[in-house]
Each structure stands twice: as C-alpha cells, then as structure tokens.
Amino acid sequence: MSTQQHEKCITVIDVETTINSEDSFKANPHDRNNHIVAIGVLKVWKGMGLKSYDFMHVSEFKCAGYRSWQPYITEYLYDILPGTTMLIGQNIAFDLLYLRKYMSDKAYTSLVKGMTIWDTQVAEYILSGHNNKFESLDAMSERYGGTLKDSTIKDYWDKNVPTEDIPKDELLDYLEHDVRNTYKVFRGQITKLDNFNVSGTTMNPQNSVPRLQKVLSIAMEHRLATIEMQWNGMFFDRKAAGEHLAALEINVGTYHNETIGYMRGIYAHGLSHFKPEEDINPMSNTQVKTFLHGGTYSWKEDRPVYCDGVPVMYKSGSKKGQWKTKKETIHEEWDGLLQCEEEYLTHSVDDAHLKALLRGLNDGTVRAPSPESAKGFIGHILKLRKYNKDISTYFKAYSNVCWPHDSCIHPTYNHAATNTGRLSCTKPNLMNITREGT
C-alpha cells in the first residue's frame, strides 16, 4: 500500500444516523429502528487536482417515514460510491455496516471487491505502536492540523433530540467538519508513514516503511473481514437455548440444595452454636474457603435488647408485650473440613485450587473424615460454578443480545483495543466461549 496508491481515487465517507436503539449503543446499525439521516462524502481524483464534496439529508426526499427514505438512500449510494478505489473513514465499520443496510449483498460485494479501506482509528493505533487505543477524531484532528468541532450537535443528543429533528444546516455543517478532518488525518497519517523513524530500534531503516505499509494493508483487510463477520453475526437458537436453560436451572437448584444440606450437616456437628436455618451460600468464596480450610465462621442471630441489665419489651403497637431484639453477628472458630499440607492453604478457592484438592483427596495428600463425601462436595461446587456461569454468561446474556429479526448475535470486533495488537471482541465476547459444550 504505497503513497501513490492512496492518491489514485479516494472517497472519505461519514454517516449520521438515528439513535433509536434501546441498548447502550443507541446508534446500533443492527437495530432495524435505526436508519441513515445524512451522508457526507469527499472524493479526490489524483492528477486532476479535483475535490468534490457531496452531502445528503433525508429531508431532501420530501417524504415521511424511514421506509420511504430507503430507496432514495440506496439510489444515492449507488450513484456516489462506484469508482472508489479506497474508502476512508473514522471507525469505518460503523459507516460500512450502515451501507450494508441499503445495498444488496451483490452490490456491496462488488463495491468492496474493487477497493481497499483506510480506518483512521486503526491506522493511528498501529502508527502509535498500539499506544493510541480507540483514538477519537477530535484527538487526531488536533495532532494532524484539523480543527475542533463545537459541541452543538452533541448537546442535542445529550438532550435526547432525535438526529432527524436536528436542524438540517447544523447537522450538515457538523458532518462536513468531520469529513474534512478525517481527510486531514488520513493525509497526516500517510506523511507520518512515509517519514517513519525507526531510530533506536532493530529495524532496518531501508525496509521499515515498506514493512509498516504491509502491516497497515493487512490490518485494513482484516478490518474489512471482521465488518463482514459482524454483519453476518452468529446464529443463536433461542428455542434450544431456552430448553437448555430450563434444564440447567433445575440442575443448579438440585446441586445448590444438596451442597447446603451437606454444609449444614457438617457444621451442626462441629459448631456449638450453629443453627440449621442459618444462611449458607455455596457460591460465596469466603464461605467455601472457611468450610474447607477453617477460619472464623460468622452468622447473624437475634439477641435481646437490654437497658441497665433488664430486657426491653415493646409497650405498644403490633409487637406489644414482645421482647425487643436486634441482629448481632456471632463468631466461632472452625477447624475446617480438610487436613492438608501448607501448599494447599492458598488465599484462593478458585477452580484450579478445588481441582488440586480433588487430586489430593485421591492420592491421600489431602485428608477428610469422609474423603468421598468431601470429593462430592467439591465436585458440586465446581458444577454449580460452571452452571451458573453458563446461565449468566451464555444463555441469559446471549439471549439478551440476540436480535429477533435474524436470531443472530452481532458482536463488535475491536482492532484498536489491546496492548499487543491482537483482535478483541465485545458485546458480547464471542472469543471467550468455553471449549466444553454449554
């Protein structure tokens, strides 16, 4: 990707959209209630010294309603984009995902097949050595000679004014400002790339610029690929998930009750003041650690209220004649269920530690009054944790972000988020699904 290639025929694009989504990302392109309100385009032709600005606002279509706008927006895109060999944008995934809403798969594929993209946010992340993560257009504009925009449009959005109700002239001025700044940032990044300084590094100065150009070229190809991945999404079978969720919740209830019963039985024999009705939570790491390795067991108990050594009684109201009580925290030392070497007495009772205890119970390095019962208890805790994570992280969370119109989850792939340069995924993190079936 050389400087000469950049100069051929480029198009800078920015879109302003409705903000009707109910989730935290109000302009979410996957929400069918969101639509383009305005488009800003700058086209530059190499060798001709020509720049062409074009701005579109839906109010020009003289029709009401999103559905009426769609064919006009589609026609505009088909007219303005052909001939583009490079499409430039700030966080260009947002713009391209909206373009896909108005273009057929065939037309969109034909468009991107003949061009490259340049995401100024991703480029800045790479050129800064992964230091400038999710860099804003304002921040880059200051760096590359652009101008800061005023906060008028942001103020409208902060007051929940719909984008389509913002005065047209003000919105288009805002849009033109962003388009001009995006182009300035792009030109500044190309200059920075051509003058890339590798002093103090092990890179060969003669090879550094071509190598960095290659890195940027590959990064933009990857950006285009993940935009397609985000658009297609991951299918999520709501019906099957609901059935699995119901079965999991039954299992959680069973394991939860059995675990509490086991803990109460052990405590009843080992603590002098323990009451069976006391609250026990097997999902509390503190309680599990105390139960297994010993420590101070605490619970709350109603104790009489005294005044000058005499119990106080209610003198009126619905409790008249009853002794006043207050909750007091009772403490008792507990030796722990297990006897084991000091190497097992860590500050954590995470899954790795519990699995190590299971191995110790099998080889005799960890002892318990009833090893099989202790192994059953630890096994129950591990299963409870897994099932609860499956329920909260996968079944319920994924159901909440699955779009009803296509039964798909459309995550966000982040190219400018990590210290190492690796790709990350959020809302939700589909790269964090466990290998085990859920």
Side-chain angles (χ1 to χ4, degrees):
M1 189 185 294
S2 67
T3 304
Q4 289 72 26
Q5 284 176 310
H6 291 306
E7 293 283 354
K8 271 178 134 180
C9 177
I10 64 174
T11 300
V12 181
I13 191 167
D14 189 26
V15 302
E16 301 300 340
T17 72
T18 56
I19 49 173
N20 296 326
S21 189
E22 294 182 359
D23 64 13
S24 58
F25 182 19
K26 293 187 178 299
N28 197 316
H30 301 292
D31 193 321
R32 286 193 163 184
N33 292 317
N34 277 332
H35 303 269
I36 290 176
V37 174
I39 302 175
V41 169
L42 163 63
K43 299 194 79 169
V44 182
W45 287 270
K46 175 180 170 61
M48 300 174 64
L50 293 177
K51 291 181 183 178
S52 171
Y53 288 93
D54 199 278
F55 300 94
M56 179 278 296
H57 191 280
V58 292
S59 63
E60 301 165 11
F61 302 144
K62 309 296 183 186
C63 56
Y66 301 138
R67 293 186 182 278
S68 301
W69 298 347
Q70 183 160 344
Y72 293 97
I73 296 175
T74 301
E75 183 180 351
Y76 176 83
L77 292 172
Y78 286 171
D79 181 60
I80 202 73
L81 291 176
T84 298
T85 56
M86 171 174 281
L87 193 64
I88 302 164
Q90 164 72 1
N91 185 23
I92 201 169
F94 180 80
D95 305 288
L96 284 176
L97 288 169
Y98 265 99
L99 296 192
R100 289 229 57 172
K101 296 184 75 162
Y102 295 93
M103 303 180 76
S104 68
D105 289 345
K106 183 177 180 180
Y108 178 82
T109 302
S110 176
L111 172 70
V112 299
K113 186 177 180 180
M115 72 176 187
T116 56
I117 65 168
W118 184 276
D119 188 326
T120 51
Q121 190 177 75
V122 173
E124 193 64 19
Y125 169 71
I126 293 172
L127 290 170
S128 70
H130 306 159
N131 289 316
N132 298 337
K133 302 177 180 68
F134 294 121
E135 192 83 329
S136 69
L137 182 57
D138 279 348
M140 286 187 281
S141 297
E142 285 190 284
R143 189 174 301 129
Y144 294 110
T147 57
L148 290 178
K149 56 195 173 191
D150 63 40
S151 62
T152 303
I153 302 301
K154 184 179 181 300
D155 291 342
Y156 279 121
W157 284 326
D158 288 343
K159 295 174 182 176
N160 294 319
V161 175
T163 309
E164 61 273 29
D165 291 342
I166 295 174
K168 173 185 172 182
D169 291 345
E170 293 183 39
L171 186 64
L172 292 185
D173 284 347
Y174 176 89
L175 190 57
E176 180 178 355
H177 186 277
D178 277 359
V179 168
R180 289 180 181 275
N181 270 348
T182 301
Y183 182 62
K184 282 191 175 181
V185 168
F186 166 71
R187 295 303 309 163
Q189 289 174 339
I190 295 303
T191 301
K192 184 175 183 178
L193 172 60
D194 287 343
N195 298 310
F196 184 66
N197 186 357
V198 294
S199 60
T201 73
T202 58
M203 294 179 65
N204 183 340
Q206 292 182 339
N207 296 329
S208 61
V209 172
R211 287 181 180 179
L212 189 54
Q213 288 173 339
K214 185 66 174 177
V215 169
L216 284 162
S217 178
I218 293 172
M220 299 308 165
E221 289 177 8
H222 288 174
R223 189 70 174 123
L224 203 53
T226 56
I227 291 169
E228 187 71 7
M229 290 164 59
Q230 183 174 344
W231 175 259
N232 292 330
M234 181 187 80
F235 178 73
F236 184 78
D237 191 329
R238 283 173 172 266
K239 181 180 178 181
E243 293 170 354
H244 284 296
L245 176 60
L248 275 177
E249 287 177 333
I250 291 173
N251 286 339
V252 165
T254 300
Y255 282 114
H256 191 271
N257 292 335
E258 290 178 356
T259 303
I260 288 177
Y262 179 75
M263 293 176 76
R264 281 178 174 165
I266 296 294
Y267 275 140
H269 286 86
L271 294 172
S272 59
H273 294 94
F274 178 76
K275 295 183 178 180
E277 66 271 16
E278 288 305 327
D279 205 15
I280 292 179
N281 179 12
M283 294 304 294
S284 163
N285 287 343
T286 300
Q287 288 198 27
V288 170
K289 182 180 179 182
T290 300
F291 182 75
L292 291 175
H293 297 304
T296 302
Y297 180 76
S298 303
W299 68 94
K300 291 187 180 296
E301 193 171 286
D302 288 327
R303 292 294 177 93
V305 175
Y306 290 88
C307 180
D308 296 329
V310 179
V312 178
M313 182 180 289
Y314 287 100
K315 296 181 179 180
S316 61
S318 60
K319 294 185 178 180
K320 182 178 179 180
Q322 298 180 26
W323 299 113
K324 284 188 177 181
T325 61
K326 65 177 180 179
K327 291 284 186 183
E328 288 188 9
T329 302
I330 312 301
H331 305 284
E332 186 170 344
E333 291 303 309
W334 164 252
D335 292 335
L337 178 69
L338 306 177
Q339 296 84 48
C340 48
E341 302 298 327
E342 189 172 344
E343 64 183 279
Y344 289 102
L345 301 179
T346 67
H347 293 290
S348 170
V349 282
D350 59 13
D351 288 3
H353 177 69
L354 294 186
K355 290 175 182 178
L357 291 176
L358 284 176
R359 292 192 294 271
L361 285 165
N362 284 325
D363 64 23
T365 55
V366 176
R367 297 169 297 283
S370 173
E372 291 305 314
S373 295
K375 285 191 286 186
F377 168 77
I378 294 172
H380 273 36
I381 295 294
L382 289 169
K383 287 178 180 177
L384 270 176
R385 289 177 177 178
K386 180 184 183 305
Y387 291 157
N388 276 301
K389 181 178 180 180
D390 288 348
I391 288 171
S392 61
T393 303
Y394 303 119
F395 290 97
K396 288 186 176 179
Y398 283 9
S399 293
N400 290 337
V401 295
C402 177
W403 290 96
H405 66 272
D406 62 359
S407 196
C408 284
I409 297 169
H410 299 273
T412 298
Y413 294 97
N414 307 301
H415 291 251
T418 66
N419 292 328
T420 61
R422 70 171 179 83
L423 181 70
S424 72
C425 180
T426 52
K427 300 178 184 178
N429 183 5
L430 295 185
M431 297 167 67
N432 197 37
I433 301 176
T434 59
R435 293 184 179 182
E436 300 176 13
T438 58

